[in-house]
Amino acid sequence: MGQLLGDSVVTASGQEHVRKRRQLQPAFGRPEIARYVDIMRDETTAAVDSWAPGRELDVREAMVKLSLGMLAKTVFGGSLDEATFRRLREDLSVVMNGVGARVMLPDWVERLPLPFNRRFTAARDAVRATVEQAVTELQESGRDSGDMLSLLLRATDKETGRPLTGHQISSEILTLAVAGTETTASVLSWALYEISRDADVRRHVLDELDTVLEGRPIAFEDLSRLPYLDRVVRETLRLHHTGWLVTRRTVTETRLGQWSVPAGTELAYCQHALHRDPALFPDPLAFDPDRWLDDAQTKAFTPGAYLPFGAGKHSCIGERFALTELVTAVATIVRRVRFDVPPHRTVRPVARATVRPSTLLMTVWQRSDSAEQRQD
Ligand code: HEM
């Protein structure tokens, strides 16, 4: 990925990784997340407005678009005019799809002069140019645009004491777009699928939202007051985890259960399989948000059995951001629309860059439609 997107927090290791992670951290702090909620909710509302009631929607595709929109608006909302923002979002989308496709391909394919590669390179370079120009403008004007870009610009390189360069910032942003879009989109799609196909789960989610929000749009303060939705998200992250291969290299001889693994060994684990292990989760294929209800039972889960955001130094920097997106988007969507899952269609998980639904076509209905309201 370093070759494709430049050096970033994902590709760095050791001290270099610690340094890069510290530079990014302020952008993911609690006070910032509180400000991002409104952006996430507004992006979701705009997405819902664009769906045609009574028509089938490719929900996965819509969630990819929405996740990219939420992230891009958070990063650039105050720094780019509308036309530049739209172009940038398109370019980021090409980059994301390109990286996704390359996960399955050998490295040499990236170097072939194919239209697919040219499109990718052009889009990536366009993103870099836009970010670098925005950084220069912000630096020259001294303006605080109030978005994540401005925050990243205030982060200084610990060794030089200087702010990050436009190039460094664009590498990090490209990485965030890749790490934080497909993942969120897959989990969002599965959450909507599970809510839509189980009337009890849906009723419970809606009742909680009605009681807590009393008709208001969701805000930051509400995030911690929706325990059932929280369990739905938790259970979606268990049953439909997006990760099928996380790798690590041992730096010293390491004990792994009964085995001793020499230094320099490549190890891999599969979160998707881990989260469906019957020895760890009873009835693992059932979508049951209430398995998280019993605190004592939850505590009894084997440590390391549930790793939605990984573990250790490279664990997900976007965890809080992602959970905020998931709750905000699901709450906003299910209050406005309901989805019908066609009974004859099976939705299978497929492993691409993430484990995601094969296709997820569902029919959209406005909740205010009288027939729908009666069913609610
Ligand atoms: C539901 C959504 C998400 C899931 C399930 C998820 C999961 C993960 C996991 C399991 C890792 C660790 C990989 C490893 O151990 O090697 C990771 C790393 C990472 N994630 Fe996420 N992620 C999500 C959303 C996001 C978002 C929204 C962002 C940013 C806006 C993000 C940014 C990152 C970055 C930068 C890393 C690398 C951290 C490092 O190497 O220090 N992720 N993510």
Side-chain angles (χ1 to χ4, degrees), residues 215-322:
R216 286 180 292 106
I218 187 164
F220 179 70
E221 304 70 57
D222 302 314
L223 299 179
S224 55
R225 299 166 56 217
L226 298 165
Y228 186 71
L229 183 51
D230 181 65
R231 292 204 294 282
V232 167
V233 166
R234 244 202 257 195
E235 180 67 346
T236 310
L237 281 163
R238 181 194 68 79
L239 182 58
H240 297 295
H241 199 273
T242 59
W244 57 275
L245 202 64
V246 176
T247 58
R248 287 290 186 275
R249 185 179 302 131
T250 53
V251 287
T252 55
E253 188 177 337
T254 305
R255 189 108 214 127
L256 192 65
Q258 53 178 304
W259 294 280
S260 166
V261 184
T265 307
E266 292 284 349
L267 296 168
Y269 76 97
C270 173
Q271 277 146 321
H272 196 76
L274 177 73
H275 288 180
R276 290 170 171 226
D277 184 342
L280 300 170
F281 297 97
D283 197 6
L285 301 185
F287 183 82
D288 176 14
D290 288 343
R291 76 171 71 236
W292 302 98
L293 192 57
D294 182 349
D295 226 28
Q297 194 189 323
T298 307
K299 283 196 187 108
F301 287 147
T302 313
Y306 181 65
L307 296 175
F309 295 100
K313 290 182 183 155
H314 279 275
S315 68
C316 184
I317 199 170
E319 171 170 353
R320 198 183 281 147
F321 187 98

Side-chain angles (χ1 to χ4, degrees), residues 159-192:
E159 266 161 34
T160 62
R162 290 203 203 106
L164 300 179
T165 63
H167 191 80
Q168 285 172 315
I169 293 182
S170 65
S171 299
E172 296 298 351
I173 288 172
L174 283 163
T175 302
L176 292 181
V178 170
T181 301
E182 271 275 343
T183 40
T184 306
S186 295
V187 180
L188 263 177
S189 308
W190 285 119
L192 292 174

Side-chain angles (χ1 to χ4, degrees), residues 108-163:
W108 55 265
V109 176
E110 288 162 23
R111 295 187 286 275
L112 297 177
L114 301 168
F116 162 75
N117 284 334
R118 283 204 212 101
R119 225 178 136 221
F120 174 85
T121 310
R124 180 198 55 198
D125 294 349
V127 172
R128 282 204 181 283
T130 308
V131 174
E132 285 171 35
Q133 191 180 344
V135 164
T136 310
E137 270 168 26
L138 284 182
Q139 274 167 336
E140 283 173 1
S141 67
R143 185 168 72 90
D144 179 352
S145 55
D147 53 21
M148 201 193 271
L149 187 64
S150 244
L151 274 169
L152 293 178
L153 204 54
R154 267 182 266 147
T156 47
D157 186 318
K158 221 175 165 206
E159 266 161 34
T160 62
R162 290 203 203 106

